[in-house]
Amino acid sequence: MNLTVLGKYGPYPAAGGGTSSYIIESGKTRVNLDFGSGAIGSTLEAVGKLPNTIVLSHLHFDHTSDLLPLAYALKEPVPVYLPFDGSPISEIVSALAVFTPVKIYDGMTTRIGDLTFEFVRLPHPAESYGMKISDGKASFFYSGDTTYDRRIAEKMRGCKLALLDASVPAAHSEGKPHMSIAEARKLSNETGVRVLLTHVHPEFSPVDEALQAGLEIAEEMKIYEI
């Protein structure tokens, strides 16, 4: 199983970067996780093909913004797994014939090709889900956007890699609906899981704090073996 980071920024990209978007692959199965700004071009660069399945952790614009231009490019319907939260993005996905919407919910487990997805709802202003993804050999956890929650550690245990929304330095974390680097380090220490930090705010540079915590910041267009 491999993870490709397409975009790591949020809530908007730094120059030359993209917002939250990733690809998880195992065997012949390829799934786009979130689809923020720049996701179409980065997907084509990474795999040479448009998405064939998309899973959305939640429907904030920095996780969904390339869905609209994707509608022009698709030649046949693509399944989109998403919360049915009544937001404009939810309504658009449901209305467009090129998308086949599939509702996700807390506790849902579903099979997509060679991959099993387990969804857990986590605290965020929008209805938002973390997901544990397994291919029968290894497991991976993606938090989506969230504040700290004990269920994250429960899902992370046994995983080889976790991609966490936790790149806000401690000095800027108070009142934000995202985890801090210190909270990500706590989760890594509790579970023994390798952690990549994502959702990097373009105005902050948390690299030094992340390194001091023994964590990594996700690199765009890099492939991580799981």
Side-chain angles (χ1 to χ4, degrees):
M1 186 161 52
N2 290 324
L3 170 73
T4 303
V5 176
L6 304 178
K8 67 176 181 181
Y9 291 98
Y12 59 90
T19 59
S20 295
S21 47
Y22 318 91
I23 294 174
I24 192 79
E25 296 179 277
S26 180
K28 295 182 179 180
T29 301
R30 170 172 49 89
V31 178
N32 281 70
L33 305 178
D34 286 338
F35 211 70
S37 63
I40 297 174
S42 294
T43 297
L44 291 171
E45 181 180 345
V47 299
K49 300 176 183 178
L50 291 169
N52 54 33
T53 306
I54 299 171
V55 176
L56 301 174
S57 64
H58 67 294
L59 304 184
H60 280 159
F61 297 149
D62 52 335
H63 292 251
T64 61
S65 56
D66 253 24
L67 282 175
L68 300 186
L70 179 65
Y72 293 121
L74 294 174
K75 301 297 188 291
E76 56 186 42
V78 164
V80 179
Y81 292 74
L82 74 163
F84 283 18
D85 64 359
S87 68
I89 294 295
S90 177
E91 297 297 328
I92 288 169
V93 170
S94 297
L96 293 175
V98 293
F99 298 130
T100 303
V102 181
K103 181 180 180 179
I104 63 175
Y105 54 86
D106 190 32
M108 174 181 174
T109 297
T110 192
R111 187 85 174 171
I112 302 176
D114 295 329
L115 298 171
T116 299
F117 283 70
E118 301 174 35
F119 294 95
V120 56
R121 185 166 179 177
L122 296 172
H124 196 58
E127 183 179 346
S128 188
Y129 292 88
M131 56 198 80
K132 184 174 184 177
I133 306 169
S134 306
D135 67 353
K137 299 177 182 178
S139 296
F140 160 74
F141 181 77
Y142 170 45
S143 70
D145 284 5
T146 181
T147 54
Y148 179 83
D149 190 283
R150 61 179 179 77
R151 291 170 295 176
I152 298 172
E154 293 171 5
K155 290 295 183 182
M156 279 177 59
R157 286 191 176 91
C159 292
K160 288 191 174 180
L161 182 69
L163 181 67
L164 300 182
D165 162 27
S167 59
V168 178
H172 299 276
S173 63
E174 186 174 354
K176 298 249 184 340
H178 303 278
M179 288 190 290
S180 68
I181 290 174
E183 289 168 330
R185 179 177 60 184
K186 178 181 178 182
L187 287 165
S188 181
N189 290 341
E190 287 178 356
T191 62
V193 176
R194 178 187 178 191
V195 165
L196 296 177
L197 305 180
T198 192
H199 206 274
V200 177
H201 197 294
E203 296 178 14
F204 304 135
S205 298
V207 176
D208 290 342
E209 187 176 340
L211 291 175
Q212 290 172 5
L215 305 177
E216 306 167 62
I217 293 180
E219 296 182 35
E220 291 180 332
M221 303 312 296
K222 181 172 179 176
I223 299 173
Y224 297 87
E225 184 176 348
I226 301 170

PDB file of all heavy atoms in Angstrom, residues 59-76:
ATOM      1  N   LEU A  59     -16.477  18.444   3.869  1.00  0.00           N
ATOM      2  CA  LEU A  59     -16.785  19.204   2.662  1.00  0.00           C
ATOM      3  C   LEU A  59     -16.378  20.672   2.730  1.00  0.00           C
ATOM      4  O   LEU A  59     -16.935  21.497   2.004  1.00  0.00           O
ATOM      5  CB  LEU A  59     -18.282  19.065   2.339  1.00  0.00           C
ATOM      6  CG  LEU A  59     -18.758  17.613   2.193  1.00  0.00           C
ATOM      7  CD1 LEU A  59     -20.217  17.576   1.769  1.00  0.00           C
ATOM      8  CD2 LEU A  59     -17.892  16.836   1.214  1.00  0.00           C
ATOM      9  N   HIS A  60     -15.404  21.024   3.541  1.00  0.00           N
ATOM     10  CA  HIS A  60     -14.838  22.365   3.469  1.00  0.00           C
ATOM     11  C   HIS A  60     -14.122  22.542   2.133  1.00  0.00           C
ATOM     12  O   HIS A  60     -13.610  21.583   1.547  1.00  0.00           O
ATOM     13  CB  HIS A  60     -13.884  22.610   4.635  1.00  0.00           C
ATOM     14  CG  HIS A  60     -14.595  22.969   5.904  1.00  0.00           C
ATOM     15  ND1 HIS A  60     -14.020  22.831   7.150  1.00  0.00           N
ATOM     16  CD2 HIS A  60     -15.844  23.486   6.130  1.00  0.00           C
ATOM     17  CE1 HIS A  60     -14.878  23.250   8.076  1.00  0.00           C
ATOM     18  NE2 HIS A  60     -15.971  23.637   7.489  1.00  0.00           N
ATOM     19  N   PHE A  61     -14.069  23.784   1.654  1.00  0.00           N
ATOM     20  CA  PHE A  61     -13.603  24.036   0.295  1.00  0.00           C
ATOM     21  C   PHE A  61     -12.159  23.606   0.050  1.00  0.00           C
ATOM     22  O   PHE A  61     -11.798  23.211  -1.060  1.00  0.00           O
ATOM     23  CB  PHE A  61     -13.766  25.530  -0.045  1.00  0.00           C
ATOM     24  CG  PHE A  61     -15.193  26.007  -0.051  1.00  0.00           C
ATOM     25  CD1 PHE A  61     -15.485  27.313   0.293  1.00  0.00           C
ATOM     26  CD2 PHE A  61     -16.235  25.149  -0.375  1.00  0.00           C
ATOM     27  CE1 PHE A  61     -16.799  27.768   0.294  1.00  0.00           C
ATOM     28  CE2 PHE A  61     -17.555  25.592  -0.373  1.00  0.00           C
ATOM     29  CZ  PHE A  61     -17.838  26.912  -0.040  1.00  0.00           C
ATOM     30  N   ASP A  62     -11.306  23.701   1.091  1.00  0.00           N
ATOM     31  CA  ASP A  62      -9.904  23.335   0.864  1.00  0.00           C
ATOM     32  C   ASP A  62      -9.715  21.822   0.728  1.00  0.00           C
ATOM     33  O   ASP A  62      -8.620  21.368   0.390  1.00  0.00           O
ATOM     34  CB  ASP A  62      -8.999  23.889   1.973  1.00  0.00           C
ATOM     35  CG  ASP A  62      -9.451  23.546   3.373  1.00  0.00           C
ATOM     36  OD1 ASP A  62     -10.654  23.306   3.573  1.00  0.00           O
ATOM     37  OD2 ASP A  62      -8.602  23.529   4.288  1.00  0.00           O
ATOM     38  N   HIS A  63     -10.784  21.051   0.923  1.00  0.00           N
ATOM     39  CA  HIS A  63     -10.725  19.597   0.734  1.00  0.00           C
ATOM     40  C   HIS A  63     -11.548  19.147  -0.475  1.00  0.00           C
ATOM     41  O   HIS A  63     -11.563  17.959  -0.790  1.00  0.00           O
ATOM     42  CB  HIS A  63     -11.238  18.874   1.979  1.00  0.00           C
ATOM     43  CG  HIS A  63     -10.341  19.032   3.162  1.00  0.00           C
ATOM     44  ND1 HIS A  63      -9.579  18.005   3.679  1.00  0.00           N
ATOM     45  CD2 HIS A  63     -10.070  20.115   3.933  1.00  0.00           C
ATOM     46  CE1 HIS A  63      -8.893  18.444   4.711  1.00  0.00           C
ATOM     47  NE2 HIS A  63      -9.165  19.723   4.886  1.00  0.00           N
ATOM     48  N   THR A  64     -12.192  20.096  -1.147  1.00  0.00           N
ATOM     49  CA  THR A  64     -13.128  19.722  -2.220  1.00  0.00           C
ATOM     50  C   THR A  64     -13.045  20.600  -3.463  1.00  0.00           C
ATOM     51  O   THR A  64     -13.749  20.347  -4.439  1.00  0.00           O
ATOM     52  CB  THR A  64     -14.576  19.792  -1.706  1.00  0.00           C
ATOM     53  OG1 THR A  64     -14.875  21.148  -1.297  1.00  0.00           O
ATOM     54  CG2 THR A  64     -14.803  18.869  -0.520  1.00  0.00           C
ATOM     55  N   SER A  65     -12.198  21.615  -3.471  1.00  0.00           N
ATOM     56  CA  SER A  65     -12.315  22.677  -4.471  1.00  0.00           C
ATOM     57  C   SER A  65     -12.068  22.239  -5.905  1.00  0.00           C
ATOM     58  O   SER A  65     -12.560  22.875  -6.833  1.00  0.00           O
ATOM     59  CB  SER A  65     -11.379  23.843  -4.122  1.00  0.00           C
ATOM     60  OG  SER A  65     -10.054  23.391  -3.995  1.00  0.00           O
ATOM     61  N   ASP A  66     -11.314  21.157  -6.131  1.00  0.00           N
ATOM     62  CA  ASP A  66     -11.087  20.725  -7.519  1.00  0.00           C
ATOM     63  C   ASP A  66     -12.172  19.777  -8.029  1.00  0.00           C
ATOM     64  O   ASP A  66     -12.096  19.311  -9.167  1.00  0.00           O
ATOM     65  CB  ASP A  66      -9.708  20.074  -7.661  1.00  0.00           C
ATOM     66  CG  ASP A  66      -8.722  20.981  -8.396  1.00  0.00           C
ATOM     67  OD1 ASP A  66      -8.931  22.209  -8.388  1.00  0.00           O
ATOM     68  OD2 ASP A  66      -7.738  20.479  -8.979  1.00  0.00           O
ATOM     69  N   LEU A  67     -13.191  19.496  -7.205  1.00  0.00           N
ATOM     70  CA  LEU A  67     -14.299  18.670  -7.698  1.00  0.00           C
ATOM     71  C   LEU A  67     -15.050  19.347  -8.835  1.00  0.00           C
ATOM     72  O   LEU A  67     -15.491  18.679  -9.781  1.00  0.00           O
ATOM     73  CB  LEU A  67     -15.287  18.378  -6.566  1.00  0.00           C
ATOM     74  CG  LEU A  67     -14.916  17.299  -5.557  1.00  0.00           C
ATOM     75  CD1 LEU A  67     -15.964  17.260  -4.459  1.00  0.00           C
ATOM     76  CD2 LEU A  67     -14.795  15.936  -6.225  1.00  0.00           C
ATOM     77  N   LEU A  68     -15.216  20.661  -8.757  1.00  0.00           N
ATOM     78  CA  LEU A  68     -16.023  21.348  -9.758  1.00  0.00           C
ATOM     79  C   LEU A  68     -15.378  21.302 -11.144  1.00  0.00           C
ATOM     80  O   LEU A  68     -16.024  20.899 -12.108  1.00  0.00           O
ATOM     81  CB  LEU A  68     -16.309  22.781  -9.312  1.00  0.00           C
ATOM     82  CG  LEU A  68     -17.063  22.907  -7.976  1.00  0.00           C
ATOM     83  CD1 LEU A  68     -17.415  24.359  -7.698  1.00  0.00           C
ATOM     84  CD2 LEU A  68     -18.317  22.063  -7.982  1.00  0.00           C
ATOM     85  N   PRO A  69     -14.103  21.663 -11.309  1.00  0.00           N
ATOM     86  CA  PRO A  69     -13.510  21.511 -12.634  1.00  0.00           C
ATOM     87  C   PRO A  69     -13.360  20.052 -13.061  1.00  0.00           C
ATOM     88  O   PRO A  69     -13.342  19.758 -14.265  1.00  0.00           O
ATOM     89  CB  PRO A  69     -12.147  22.197 -12.514  1.00  0.00           C
ATOM     90  CG  PRO A  69     -11.868  22.305 -11.056  1.00  0.00           C
ATOM     91  CD  PRO A  69     -13.197  22.378 -10.388  1.00  0.00           C
ATOM     92  N   LEU A  70     -13.267  19.127 -12.090  1.00  0.00           N
ATOM     93  CA  LEU A  70     -13.190  17.707 -12.453  1.00  0.00           C
ATOM     94  C   LEU A  70     -14.432  17.270 -13.222  1.00  0.00           C
ATOM     95  O   LEU A  70     -14.358  16.398 -14.099  1.00  0.00           O
ATOM     96  CB  LEU A  70     -13.033  16.857 -11.191  1.00  0.00           C
ATOM     97  CG  LEU A  70     -12.951  15.342 -11.407  1.00  0.00           C
ATOM     98  CD1 LEU A  70     -11.696  14.975 -12.189  1.00  0.00           C
ATOM     99  CD2 LEU A  70     -12.978  14.609 -10.069  1.00  0.00           C
ATOM    100  N   ALA A  71     -15.565  17.888 -12.923  1.00  0.00           N
ATOM    101  CA  ALA A  71     -16.806  17.529 -13.611  1.00  0.00           C
ATOM    102  C   ALA A  71     -16.696  17.743 -15.118  1.00  0.00           C
ATOM    103  O   ALA A  71     -17.344  17.041 -15.903  1.00  0.00           O
ATOM    104  CB  ALA A  71     -17.970  18.345 -13.046  1.00  0.00           C
ATOM    105  N   TYR A  72     -15.864  18.684 -15.555  1.00  0.00           N
ATOM    106  CA  TYR A  72     -15.671  18.905 -16.987  1.00  0.00           C
ATOM    107  C   TYR A  72     -14.815  17.806 -17.623  1.00  0.00           C
ATOM    108  O   TYR A  72     -14.914  17.549 -18.816  1.00  0.00           O
ATOM    109  CB  TYR A  72     -14.985  20.248 -17.238  1.00  0.00           C
ATOM    110  CG  TYR A  72     -15.816  21.454 -16.887  1.00  0.00           C
ATOM    111  CD1 TYR A  72     -15.361  22.368 -15.939  1.00  0.00           C
ATOM    112  CD2 TYR A  72     -17.028  21.711 -17.502  1.00  0.00           C
ATOM    113  CE1 TYR A  72     -16.103  23.495 -15.609  1.00  0.00           C
ATOM    114  CE2 TYR A  72     -17.778  22.834 -17.184  1.00  0.00           C
ATOM    115  CZ  TYR A  72     -17.310  23.721 -16.240  1.00  0.00           C
ATOM    116  OH  TYR A  72     -18.040  24.830 -15.917  1.00  0.00           O
ATOM    117  N   ALA A  73     -13.953  17.187 -16.828  1.00  0.00           N
ATOM    118  CA  ALA A  73     -12.966  16.250 -17.380  1.00  0.00           C
ATOM    119  C   ALA A  73     -13.465  14.808 -17.433  1.00  0.00           C
ATOM    120  O   ALA A  73     -13.007  14.023 -18.268  1.00  0.00           O
ATOM    121  CB  ALA A  73     -11.683  16.309 -16.546  1.00  0.00           C
ATOM    122  N   LEU A  74     -14.387  14.450 -16.540  1.00  0.00           N
ATOM    123  CA  LEU A  74     -14.806  13.051 -16.444  1.00  0.00           C
ATOM    124  C   LEU A  74     -15.681  12.648 -17.621  1.00  0.00           C
ATOM    125  O   LEU A  74     -16.557  13.385 -18.057  1.00  0.00           O
ATOM    126  CB  LEU A  74     -15.568  12.824 -15.142  1.00  0.00           C
ATOM    127  CG  LEU A  74     -14.758  12.972 -13.848  1.00  0.00           C
ATOM    128  CD1 LEU A  74     -15.678  12.875 -12.641  1.00  0.00           C
ATOM    129  CD2 LEU A  74     -13.660  11.917 -13.768  1.00  0.00           C
ATOM    130  N   LYS A  75     -15.450  11.435 -18.104  1.00  0.00           N
ATOM    131  CA  LYS A  75     -16.237  10.900 -19.220  1.00  0.00           C
ATOM    132  C   LYS A  75     -17.289   9.900 -18.748  1.00  0.00           C
ATOM    133  O   LYS A  75     -18.204   9.566 -19.487  1.00  0.00           O
ATOM    134  CB  LYS A  75     -15.307  10.222 -20.232  1.00  0.00           C
ATOM    135  CG  LYS A  75     -14.249  11.143 -20.821  1.00  0.00           C
ATOM    136  CD  LYS A  75     -14.882  12.277 -21.621  1.00  0.00           C
ATOM    137  CE  LYS A  75     -13.844  13.091 -22.377  1.00  0.00           C
ATOM    138  NZ  LYS A  75     -12.978  13.883 -21.484  1.00  0.00           N
ATOM    139  N   GLU A  76     -17.122   9.367 -17.539  1.00  0.00           N
ATOM    140  CA  GLU A  76     -18.094   8.439 -16.972  1.00  0.00           C
ATOM    141  C   GLU A  76     -18.179   8.679 -15.470  1.00  0.00           C
ATOM    142  O   GLU A  76     -17.259   9.247 -14.866  1.00  0.00           O
ATOM    143  CB  GLU A  76     -17.706   6.991 -17.266  1.00  0.00           C
ATOM    144  CG  GLU A  76     -16.328   6.602 -16.799  1.00  0.00           C
ATOM    145  CD  GLU A  76     -15.951   5.201 -17.249  1.00  0.00           C
ATOM    146  OE1 GLU A  76     -16.236   4.850 -18.403  1.00  0.00           O
ATOM    147  OE2 GLU A  76     -15.373   4.464 -16.426  1.00  0.00           O
TER     148      GLU A  76
END
